[in-house]
Amino acid sequence: KQEVTQIPAALSVPEGENLVLNCSFTDSAIYNLQWFRQDPGKGLTSLLLIQSSQREQTSGRLNASLDKSSGRSTLYIAASQPGDSATYLCAVPPHTGANSKLTFGKGITLSVRP
Amino acid sequence: EPEVTQTPSHQVTQMGQEVILRCVPISNHLYFYWYRQILGQKVEFLVSFYNNEISEKSEIFDDQFSVERPDGSNFTLKIRSTKLEDSAMYFCASSDGGGTEAFFGQGTRLTVV
């Protein structure tokens, strides 16, 4: 059974810092990996999707990497801003298909201090 | 930009009552999902729906739950007899297949009292 872990549960950084959020998964047979942002009491906003054949994906100040063999992904946020404060979740579907269920990590709650 | 829309945003119901949560997926998407998130816990998969039938469901999705696509645009989750432990945020999601992203709605916060 796939397990997705995100450590630490919370992180506080000063504005402007570059930071890395980690995601690990136990079963490396994944189809892709998706990173989401969740603001308090709100829905999930898709940030990046990395296909299993890719190593990296970039969108603006965000860069996600994927190392399937070691069961890890990282989300790099450059020049963090207070507006980046949110919970960041990673999620994976099984290798059987991208349209199968996503297994989520519990998320990392990021606070960027002005 | 197309988005998944859920209504209502918040619903309070008495234990034992039936509730229907509504979703309008993105129009050209073919795969539809319901997830839930109990306060402070992980987002959990409930059910996926494709080609007018359930394609996968979790152990949470028991006989008290049902899903329906009553027309070309809506996708609903019904809970027949709500329990206190059904209190959670319920998310609808959709995807167009082909390994692309799942897009989530803003959620319906269900409170069972």
Side-chain angles (χ1 to χ4, degrees):
Chain A
K1 180 186 169 190
Q2 179 74 272
E3 296 284 344
V4 179
T5 303
Q6 294 183 255
I7 296 172
L11 188 61
S12 179
V13 300
E15 182 176 2
E17 190 161 301
N18 301 325
L19 58 104
V20 172
L21 306 179
N22 294 307
C23 169
S24 61
F25 44 94
T26 54
D27 185 350
S28 61
I30 61 170
Y31 197 91
N32 58 37
L33 185 143
Q34 200 166 348
W35 280 94
F36 294 88
R37 169 184 171 136
Q38 184 177 30
D39 291 287
K42 302 292 185 184
L44 305 176
T45 301
S46 179
L47 296 174
L48 287 164
L49 179 139
I50 315 180
Q51 299 294 348
S52 62
S53 57
Q54 295 177 308
R55 300 281 292 183
E56 275 190 18
Q57 192 68 256
T58 298
S59 175
R61 292 183 295 108
L62 306 180
N63 175 277
S65 68
L66 176 63
D67 183 344
K68 260 183 54 174
S69 60
S70 67
R72 289 194 293 186
S73 175
T74 60
L75 179 67
Y76 174 84
I77 303 176
S80 57
Q81 304 169 357
D84 295 330
S85 299
T87 298
Y88 292 82
L89 300 99
C90 63
V92 292
H95 70 94
T96 47
N99 304 300
S100 185
K101 64 179 184 181
L102 292 173
T103 300
F104 280 83
K106 203 169 179 183
I108 297 173
T109 299
L110 172 66
S111 174
V112 181
R113 307 186 301 271
Chain B
E1 186 174 323
E3 60 181 14
V4 176
T5 305
Q6 290 186 244
T7 54
S9 56
H10 190 191
Q11 179 148 3
V12 181
T13 189
Q14 292 209 324
M15 194 168 52
Q17 295 296 304
E18 174 183 287
V19 294
I20 297 176
L21 309 184
R22 303 182 190 278
C23 170
V24 179
I26 294 173
S27 62
N28 63 338
H29 284 187
L30 302 174
Y31 296 82
F32 313 114
Y33 315 85
W34 284 100
Y35 289 79
R36 78 173 185 189
Q37 185 178 33
I38 295 171
L39 191 64
Q41 297 188 22
K42 291 185 178 184
V43 176
E44 303 172 286
F45 168 79
L46 293 177
V47 66
S48 59
F49 192 86
Y50 169 71
N51 201 25
N52 285 318
E53 61 182 23
I54 291 173
S55 49
E56 194 173 0
K57 60 183 181 179
S58 73
E59 55 273 12
I60 302 168
F61 194 88
D62 61 21
D63 291 344
Q64 292 300 311
F65 292 87
S66 62
V67 288
E68 196 177 35
R69 188 153 163 82
D71 53 43
S73 59
N74 290 284
F75 180 50
T76 61
L77 173 70
K78 183 194 289 187
I79 309 175
R80 287 191 184 82
S81 178
T82 49
K83 307 184 186 76
L84 294 176
E85 55 264 36
D86 293 327
S87 295
M89 183 78 101
Y90 287 80
F91 294 110
C92 174
S94 68
S95 66
D96 67 0
T100 56
E101 294 164 88
F103 291 88
F104 282 69
Q106 289 299 298
T108 293
R109 180 166 297 286
L110 176 67
T111 303
V112 183
V113 297

